[in-house]
Amino acid sequence: YFYTARAPIGATGARRDLGRSQPRSRTMANKGKAASEDDVAGLLRLISSLQNEVTPDSKKGWYYKDDAGEIQGPYPPAWMNKWCQQGYFDDDAEVRFGEEGAMFKLSQIFPDPSSAFLINCMTDSSGVKEACEK
C-alpha cells in the first residue's frame, strides 16, 4: 500500500459541525434501543469483514463515498478512525470494508464512533495494532 497522510478526498470539509446536538454516544434513555443497534452493527461488521476477506491484498481496506458520489479508497483502519475522530465523516457517510460489496451508513455499522473502522484490530500498549495501520 502507498498512502499519503492527508485529509480524506472529497470528505465533507475540515472539522465542520456535523449538526449533532450531542455526541452519538448512547444514553441511559435509549439503552433498550442500543442493544438492537449493537446486534445490527455486529452483523454489518461481519458482512464487511467477509467482503474484505475476498478482496485482493492490494485493494484491502476501507472505502467511502465522497460528496461527489465517487468511491475513495482503500485506506487503513487507523487512518479512517482518525479522520472520523476529526469530524471528516458524518453519521450518514457511506462506507465499506473491501473493494466490492455493500456500503453502509457509518452510524449503522459503528454506533460508537470511538471504535469506527477498527474491525479486526486488536489494541496493544500503544493503542493500535500494526495490522490496523496497513
Side-chain angles (χ1 to χ4, degrees):
Y1 299 97
F2 176 75
Y3 300 104
T4 57
R6 57 185 156 84
I9 300 167
T12 318
R15 298 183 188 194
R16 68 181 184 93
D17 177 14
L18 299 178
R20 293 185 209 129
S21 59
Q22 56 184 318
R24 280 195 292 158
S25 62
R26 294 181 200 102
T27 63
M28 293 300 282
N30 67 358
K31 199 167 189 140
K33 183 179 175 189
S36 64
E37 282 179 354
D38 286 345
D39 293 342
V40 170
L43 288 172
L44 296 179
R45 287 191 298 271
L46 175 61
I47 291 167
S48 295
S49 291
L50 294 172
Q51 287 176 175
N52 199 51
E53 284 297 314
V54 298
T55 297
D57 287 344
S58 65
K59 297 187 179 199
K60 287 186 184 228
W62 282 99
Y63 293 76
Y64 67 91
K65 190 179 288 187
D66 68 20
D67 294 339
E70 299 293 320
I71 305 298
Q72 303 294 333
Y75 295 102
W79 286 32
M80 294 288 284
N81 178 269
K82 182 177 180 180
W83 291 336
C84 185
Q85 302 310 312
Q86 293 173 340
Y88 285 104
F89 300 111
D90 61 24
D91 289 351
D92 292 331
E94 293 183 59
V95 299
R96 74 170 172 239
F97 198 34
E99 181 184 29
E100 298 291 330
M103 296 195 88
F104 304 106
K105 288 185 178 184
L106 181 61
S107 61
Q108 291 176 318
I109 194 168
F110 296 110
D112 176 8
S114 68
S115 63
F117 303 106
L118 299 180
I119 290 179
N120 297 334
C121 297
M122 302 191 55
T123 58
D124 59 16
S125 60
S126 68
V128 178
K129 187 177 178 181
E130 183 179 337
C132 293
E133 297 172 359
K134 294 182 179 177

